[in-house]
Each structure stands twice: as C-alpha cells, then as structure tokens.
Amino acid sequence: MKKNTKLISSGRKSDYTHGVVNPVVQRASTVVFDSVAELHEAVKGRGNRTLFYGRRGTQTHYALQDAVMELENAAGCALYPSGAAAISQSLLSFLKAGDHLLMVDTAYEPTRDLCDKILLGLGITTTYYDPMIGAGIEALIQPNTRVLFLESPGSITMEVQDVPSLVAVAKQHDLITMLDNTYGNGWHYKPLDHGVDISIQAATKYIVGHSDVMMGVAVANEALWPTLREHSYLLGQCTSADDAYLALRGLRTMPVRLAQHEKAALKVADWLETHPLVDHVRHPALPSCPGHEFFKRDFSGSNGLFSFVMKQGNQKAINAFLDGLHHFKMGFSWGGYESLVTASKSMAALRTTTGWQEGPIIRLHIGLEDVEDLINDLEQALKIYESHC
C-alpha cells in the first residue's frame, strides 16, 4: 500500500466507523457493564483498547491512536491535551530524582522551562548540548544520565541533528532517546525508523492543521510503550473525543497541505536569500541551514516553517517590520493554514551552550495564501524595517 493510501485508510476499522466514512465521535466518562464478569474483563484489557473508563479512551481515541501509530511506525500512541504535555509526560515517565537529562540547546522554549523550573525541583539535572555535536555527545554522558532528548530541526534556529550518530552513542550507554518530531510530523520523518525510542509531536500543528485544537501525541517502540501508556494514565493525561475527531480529519489532508506549505515556503525562502537586508535563511532544505546534509539524508520533505537572519537591525526596526505586515499574523503557533510571524527579543536567553552571535532572527510559517501576496507583504515590510535601522 502506498503512503497516501495508507494514511487515508488508517484508523478506519469497522469497529470505529460503524458503517460510515469517518470514525464516530464517542464521548464518554463512565463505561457501564452488564455483569461482574464483563467488568473484570474490561479491567484486564484496559491497557489494550478495551472500553474501561473515559480517561483510557473511546473508539474515537483508538482510531486516532491507530492512525498515528501507522504514521510513525510505532508500537503505541498516547494522546495529550497539548504538545507541551506530551513532552513533559514523556520525560516524567522515565526520569526520577537523581537522574540526569541531556537536552538539546535548541529545544522549544517551554521544554527548557520544564527542565529549569520543574525537573530541577524534582532532583533531575539537565545539561544542554550543542545540536551539532553528533557522536561527541558521549563526552557529556554521566553515570546517572538516563535520557537523551533531541529536537530536529531545532526551534527558531532550525539546526538539523545527526540523529543516527546520537542514537548510536545513546544505545551504547543504555540511554532512552526522545525526539520532538513536530517539524517532521511523521510524514516527512519517522524517528523510530532511525532508532529513536519515543517520538513526540504537537499535533496542534500539522496533524490538526486548522489552528483550532490543542493536542499532543507521543509514540513509542514496543519496549517502552507499556511504561509510557501507564504513566500517562496515572498522571491523568487525556483528550476529548471531539478533538480526537478533528485531529483525524486533519490527518487525512496533511500530505496535500504539506506539499503546498513546502512549495510556497521554498519560494519565499529563495526570494529572501537574495534580499540585501538578509544575511542568510535558516530553512532545512537550503544549504545555508546548519545540518542541511542530515536533512537531505534523513527527511523526505519540508514544510512551511523556517527562519531568516538579518544583517543588522534593532528592536525598533523589528517592531516596525512586524506591525507593517498584513497577510502574516503575529502568533506563537504554526502548522495551520494561515501565515504567521514571530521574532525573538533575546535569542541569547534561549541558549545555554551555543549562544547566539548572529543578527536579529525572524521566524515565518508560510500558510496556504497565494505566495506572491506573501512575498509582496514581506517586501513592503522590509522597506519599513530598513527605514528604522
């Protein structure tokens, strides 16, 4: 079965669809049983897609879990109310007091805050590492290191990691590997195929694709799935059936949307590379992006997210640029049908090991608008930027 056909067919067993095209929306908190024997069977099967209690999921949740498992070639999938919850839960499932975590220095800002503000208070220490360190990660492993966390490409600065090299070292030292795969989305990159143990996504982004649902997913290999599943349940993680339904609906069109996002983003990135105010573009598919060679080797495509670095500028110029845009809206998410822009006020504050010596950096998400309108919007806003430098 080809990729597109497989994605359209996934999570659509007759148990979930009941004779219609899409899985039904089964909302439930309490599940009732007709006999003690039936209740006992449900208790025994509660970890394996048996209706037991709403927090364990319903047929709607099972359909989404099946589809994401097929998308990422995983043994199991847990659903969470946000991407941040998926990250925190995955880490808390395998870390305890006295453990040490290796966290990529380009991680999503809430992931860094989790390490510095919550994990530290639980007695879990974190060392941030250069995303381009590769096999050199071995020098940072301590006797109590338990988890190696990756995010590739990295948030905002978009560095692509040499995942196979990092995983090889981690396996030699019995470390659990986790990767934030929101950019790769399971369609363009499948971390478990590269030896990663747990792949995490903010399904809010490309799986849902319409900026109207908060959701996270984490998939695991066979060895770690039982622990991730049970710990997620014990810490009360769950999502609504309605959100699961919307995620399933978004998943069906994800390849088509991604193709358009990718095509438009590359056009905008190519245009920005020639602009006299732009120092360089951080798009994984372009040679100017750190780790581009790993992207070419491991990914099957890109999407609408990338950043570009200005040659010079100040906060006044950045603010004027942002205020001058029309089609690009300011917002902290991405992956929806709309174009978005963000600019970090202090990249140095978001880096512990690698620092940031470059000029101002601006991140774009290229939506589904006409690409010429987007380029024209950027062009007039960059003129405003220049006038304020």
Side-chain angles (χ1 to χ4, degrees):
M1 195 184 300
K2 302 296 185 183
K3 275 180 70 176
N4 287 54
T5 306
K6 185 177 180 181
L7 186 63
I8 292 297
S9 304
S10 62
R12 290 178 58 199
K13 296 192 302 186
S14 59
D15 288 350
Y16 306 150
T17 59
H18 298 278
V20 297
V21 173
N22 294 306
V24 299
V25 180
Q26 187 178 34
R27 304 178 186 90
S29 55
T30 300
V31 177
V32 295
F33 307 97
D34 292 331
S35 67
V36 172
E38 185 181 346
L39 184 149
H40 287 170
E41 284 299 311
V43 171
K44 287 193 295 183
R46 66 187 183 275
N48 190 30
R49 309 294 176 81
T50 298
L51 286 174
F52 168 72
Y53 181 63
R55 187 150 46 93
R56 283 281 184 180
T58 67
Q59 303 293 348
T60 318
H61 299 93
Y62 303 158
L64 177 58
Q65 289 170 318
D66 277 1
V68 176
M69 286 162 56
E70 289 196 39
L71 178 68
E72 295 227 38
N73 295 333
C77 171
L79 306 178
Y80 305 92
S82 68
I87 291 169
S88 62
Q89 180 60 69
S90 296
L91 288 169
L92 289 169
S93 292
F94 296 95
L95 291 169
K96 64 181 185 305
D99 284 344
H100 174 245
L101 165 67
L102 284 169
M103 174 61 64
V104 63
D105 200 31
T106 51
Y108 173 55
E109 186 178 356
T111 303
R112 177 179 288 270
D113 286 343
L114 171 74
C115 296
D116 297 343
K117 298 176 181 179
I118 294 181
L119 296 186
L120 183 61
L122 297 176
I124 300 163
T125 57
T126 300
T127 297
Y128 294 97
Y129 68 90
D130 186 331
M132 310 313 295
I133 198 170
I137 193 71
E138 188 163 31
L140 300 180
I141 296 175
Q142 302 176 10
N144 60 335
T145 304
R146 176 68 170 154
V147 172
L148 170 63
F149 195 100
L150 306 88
E151 181 178 315
S152 183
S155 284
I156 304 176
T157 47
M158 308 303 291
E159 293 90 340
V160 183
Q161 297 188 260
D162 185 357
V163 174
S165 294
L166 289 159
V167 167
V169 174
K171 289 186 180 301
Q172 292 171 10
H173 293 268
D174 295 323
L175 306 186
I176 294 169
T177 50
M178 303 179 185
L179 189 149
D180 184 336
N181 192 39
T182 305
Y183 185 97
N185 56 70
W187 185 252
H188 285 148
Y189 187 63
K190 303 179 188 297
L192 272 62
D193 288 357
H194 295 267
V196 173
D197 297 310
I198 295 175
S199 174
I200 303 162
Q201 288 191 56
T204 306
K205 286 20 179 213
Y206 283 119
I207 288 180
V208 171
H210 291 77
S211 303
D212 53 5
V213 171
M214 298 293 295
M215 184 179 291
V217 298
V219 299
N221 58 24
E222 190 171 358
L224 297 187
W225 168 237
T227 300
L228 181 65
R229 179 192 67 211
E230 293 308 307
H231 285 206
S232 297
Y233 177 72
L234 290 173
L235 285 177
Q237 300 289 356
C238 61
T239 61
S240 76
D242 296 271
D243 284 350
Y245 178 88
L246 289 172
L248 275 164
R249 187 176 66 174
L251 195 63
R252 307 307 180 195
T253 63
M254 187 171 73
V256 179
R257 289 185 284 106
L258 283 172
Q260 181 60 29
H261 285 299
E262 177 180 40
K263 179 181 177 182
L266 284 170
K267 284 186 177 180
V268 176
D270 287 340
W271 178 82
L272 282 167
E273 277 207 310
T274 67
H275 198 283
L277 294 178
V278 175
D279 183 76
H280 67 280
V281 175
R282 295 279 182 119
H283 189 305
L286 299 182
S288 54
C289 188
H292 167 68
E293 65 273 24
F294 306 133
F295 180 84
K296 286 179 62 179
R297 182 191 67 193
D298 297 339
F299 284 69
S300 65
S302 60
N303 56 49
L305 190 72
F306 69 93
S307 300
F308 62 99
V309 179
M310 306 300 294
K311 290 179 180 177
Q312 61 179 357
N314 52 49
Q315 194 60 51
K316 181 180 178 182
I318 292 173
N319 291 348
F321 169 81
L322 295 173
D323 288 342
L325 289 164
H326 301 294
H327 297 303
F328 288 87
K329 305 304 180 185
M330 281 180 277
F332 292 106
S333 190
W334 48 276
Y337 59 84
E338 75 286 3
S339 291
L340 295 172
V341 60
T342 57
S344 177
K345 290 186 177 180
S346 178
M347 281 304 304
L350 302 178
R351 299 290 182 265
T352 300
T353 302
T354 52
W356 182 255
Q357 305 302 321
E358 309 281 355
I361 186 167
I362 296 170
R363 191 183 74 175
L364 301 177
H365 178 258
I366 305 302
L368 303 181
E369 303 91 345
D370 187 281
V371 69
E372 293 302 322
D373 287 335
L374 298 178
I375 288 174
N376 291 338
D377 196 19
L378 289 169
E379 185 173 31
Q380 61 85 26
L382 285 169
K383 289 178 181 178
I384 298 172
Y385 181 95
E386 186 175 25
S387 70
H388 285 78
C389 284

